[in-house]
Amino acid sequence: MKEIILQGQEQRMRAAVFEDGELIEVHEEEGEFSHLVGNIYRGRVENVLPGMQAAFVDIGLEKNAFLYVADAMPPRFADEVKLTSNHLPRVEQVLKPRQELLVQITKEPVGTKGARITTNITIPGRYTVLMPNTDYIGVSRRITDEEERSRLRERAKSICPQGMGVIIRTLAEKIEGNELGEDLEALVELWSLINEKVPHVSVPGLVHEDVDLLARMLREWIDGKVETITVNQPVVAEGLRNALRKLDHPATNHVHLISKDNLFADYGVDEGIRKALRPKVWLKSGGYLVIQQTEALTVIDVNTGKYVGQSSLEHTVLHTNCEAAVEIAHQLRLRNFGGIIIIDFIDMILEEDQKQVLATLENACVKDKIKCQIMGLTKLGLVEMTRKKVGQTLEVRYSKQCPKCDGTGRV
């Protein structure tokens, strides 16, 4: 069961997502933390860096955006020459200083780093993603039934405009009606409007801004598991009911209005955020995690803490590690950590115990819409995994570095 809490205050909109009564995601839209991924800009190449196979592009933000050579090549050209990651053209052959480009943000600015961009534009809808510059047809990897994948692929081929590409999203699974065609048709129309607007936008400048928090919620988060949506603004509640009615979603009659200024406090969201900003996370058994983020990676240590078990040391360790694996997947989503993640589980002697813990971690990460990849155990017994970086972390959004200790936490 999923529940969404929407709290609006003045010009700020915040959303919290609960899964089985547990806070799993927090989103907000205000000022510098407004959503940038998906925005399309006219940009100008400022610096071409042969040593990095990349360029910095001015798109009108505070910091220049980063464009890697692979993200600057037309997909059709890449297919024709059958390029591999070890055989890319030199960046100076693809990009020139002062060159003007139409680009899209794929990663938000983080810390001192500017946004990452691509010239391969994508326009996402609820059921499909339009790729106007390539003729690729794809189906979400989360749809695992081969018969359903084949059906959706054939459907995509029949509705996709010539010379364009489309990816079928997870929400399209089992959709039989005209929803896919209507969704893609709306995206093609939007792309046409964007193209018409491009010549009238100065360089650098914003051409197209991705949808706001509410529309993104309807597009990205409201799936069949969402049962209840609670909001504190009458206009928002009525708008959601109308939108859900068009989607024929069962939550249409479960949009509840509670006229309170701070729903987040009543539902424990604010307290959940405070806990997620602490390095120590207690497990129900009495064990605990210690989570530390560095610039390069995130390190997680698992400890038995107060838990002493009942039958044997092996059982105590296995129980703690499995419980920790589930909580680690939850914390990564809530804190929105990305990049390289190293986990130091309690040492396990039996190989079957190691496999069970890894399987538990993999199963817990399946719920995460952001791509996770678990690499397995190293020779030192550490678990290596990655999670795609998307947006700012909870720590960046809700805290700032201490001016006295410069972030060390020690005086």
Side-chain angles (χ1 to χ4, degrees):
M1 172 188 169
K2 288 173 74 173
E3 181 178 7
I4 296 175
I5 311 298
L6 281 169
Q7 176 179 289
Q9 288 177 315
E10 298 177 352
Q11 300 301 313
R12 187 184 194 190
M13 181 62 69
R14 303 172 71 196
V17 183
F18 284 83
E19 201 168 84
D20 298 325
E22 192 170 45
L23 180 66
I24 58 166
E25 292 175 19
V26 180
H27 305 270
E28 59 275 306
E29 202 146 65
E30 179 192 42
E32 63 179 304
F33 298 123
S34 294
H35 189 72
L36 294 177
V37 169
N39 288 0
I40 299 173
Y41 297 82
R42 289 192 74 186
R44 181 183 292 113
V45 177
E46 291 293 311
N47 308 99
V48 177
L49 308 173
M52 295 181 65
Q53 277 287 72
F56 286 108
V57 181
D58 182 8
I59 59 174
L61 299 181
E62 183 180 350
K63 295 183 179 70
N64 286 341
F66 181 83
L67 178 61
Y68 181 55
V69 63
D71 296 321
M73 293 168 9
R76 291 194 187 93
F77 174 75
D79 291 339
E80 287 171 8
V81 298
K82 297 181 179 179
L83 293 170
T84 68
S85 58
N86 295 322
H87 186 59
L88 292 169
R90 299 295 304 169
V91 66
E92 58 266 32
Q93 296 173 326
V94 179
L95 299 170
K96 304 296 181 185
R98 310 299 295 171
Q99 181 179 347
E100 294 181 3
L101 302 168
L102 187 68
V103 298
Q104 184 174 42
I105 292 183
T106 58
K107 287 185 180 179
E108 306 254 359
V110 177
T112 59
K113 297 179 180 178
R116 183 161 177 173
I117 56 176
T118 179
T119 59
N120 300 315
I121 310 295
T122 57
I123 312 292
R126 179 169 172 82
Y127 301 116
T128 62
V129 178
L130 175 68
M131 298 185 293
N133 298 324
T134 180
D135 53 7
Y136 173 79
I137 301 291
V139 178
S140 168
R141 293 177 182 175
R142 290 180 176 271
I143 300 176
T144 55
D145 183 87
E146 287 301 325
E147 188 175 333
E148 177 67 0
R149 290 180 64 85
S150 297
R151 183 188 74 84
L152 289 171
R153 189 179 296 277
E154 291 304 313
R155 177 68 177 139
K157 289 178 182 177
S158 68
I159 62 175
C160 187
Q162 188 174 4
M164 294 186 178
V166 63
I167 296 175
I168 302 297
R169 306 190 68 180
T170 308
L171 283 174
E173 189 172 13
K174 306 300 182 184
I175 295 291
E176 299 283 355
N178 296 323
E179 289 94 331
L180 297 186
E182 292 171 357
D183 191 61
L184 187 60
E185 188 178 332
L187 297 181
V188 172
E189 185 177 342
L190 176 58
W191 174 243
S192 178
L193 293 174
I194 291 170
N195 266 329
E196 290 176 8
K197 187 179 177 182
V198 169
H200 306 289
V201 175
S202 59
V203 183
L206 176 65
V207 175
H208 169 72
E209 188 172 11
D210 196 21
V211 294
D212 62 18
L213 182 68
L214 290 176
R216 200 162 67 251
M217 181 185 75
L218 286 163
R219 187 181 73 192
E220 308 285 347
W221 313 331
I222 296 184
D223 53 20
K225 296 178 182 178
V226 174
E227 295 185 4
T228 306
I229 302 174
T230 304
V231 301
N232 70 339
Q233 294 183 336
V235 175
V236 174
E238 189 58 32
L240 280 173
R241 291 190 189 104
N242 292 334
L244 291 170
R245 196 174 290 115
K246 290 179 182 178
L247 295 172
D248 196 25
H249 197 283
T252 303
N253 299 320
H254 299 282
V255 177
H256 304 306
L257 175 64
I258 299 179
S259 298
K260 286 188 175 182
D261 288 338
N262 198 347
L263 283 182
F264 272 30
D266 291 351
Y267 279 82
V269 178
D270 291 337
E271 180 58 27
I273 292 171
R274 278 192 285 271
K275 287 182 178 179
L277 296 176
R278 299 169 187 163
K280 183 177 285 189
V281 178
W282 286 99
L283 305 175
K284 292 179 181 178
S285 65
Y288 65 90
L289 312 175
V290 177
I291 304 174
Q292 296 286 352
Q293 188 181 35
T294 72
E295 188 170 344
L297 50 81
T298 299
V299 181
I300 303 174
D301 186 33
V302 181
N303 299 275
T304 54
K306 302 173 185 177
Y307 181 57
V308 295
Q310 294 179 342
S311 57
S312 66
L313 175 61
E314 287 79 8
H315 180 269
T316 301
V317 169
L318 178 61
H319 182 274
T320 305
N321 281 340
C322 286
E323 187 183 14
V326 174
E327 184 60 31
I328 286 167
H330 168 230
Q331 290 294 325
L332 293 179
R333 290 178 72 185
L334 179 57
R335 299 176 188 229
N336 198 28
F337 283 161
I340 300 170
I341 298 151
I342 304 296
I343 307 169
D344 185 11
F345 284 107
I346 304 167
D347 290 342
M348 294 168 284
I349 299 173
L350 301 177
E351 186 177 347
E352 52 264 38
D353 288 355
Q354 297 174 359
K355 290 180 179 178
Q356 185 174 336
V357 170
L358 286 174
T360 302
L361 181 61
E362 287 176 355
N363 290 335
C365 288
V366 166
K367 297 179 181 179
D368 196 341
K369 288 187 176 182
I370 297 175
K371 184 181 178 181
C372 298
Q373 188 171 7
I374 298 167
M375 314 305 292
L377 284 164
T378 68
K379 291 181 179 180
L380 292 174
L382 305 173
V383 173
E384 295 178 332
M385 68 173 288
T386 61
R387 184 175 185 268
K388 187 178 178 182
K389 288 184 177 181
V390 178
Q392 303 281 3
T393 65
L394 203 68
E395 184 179 47
V396 169
R397 282 146 49 193
Y398 286 96
S399 67
K400 59 183 179 181
Q401 186 169 291
C402 171
K404 297 295 183 181
C405 70
D406 291 330
T408 65
R410 300 178 66 85
V411 177

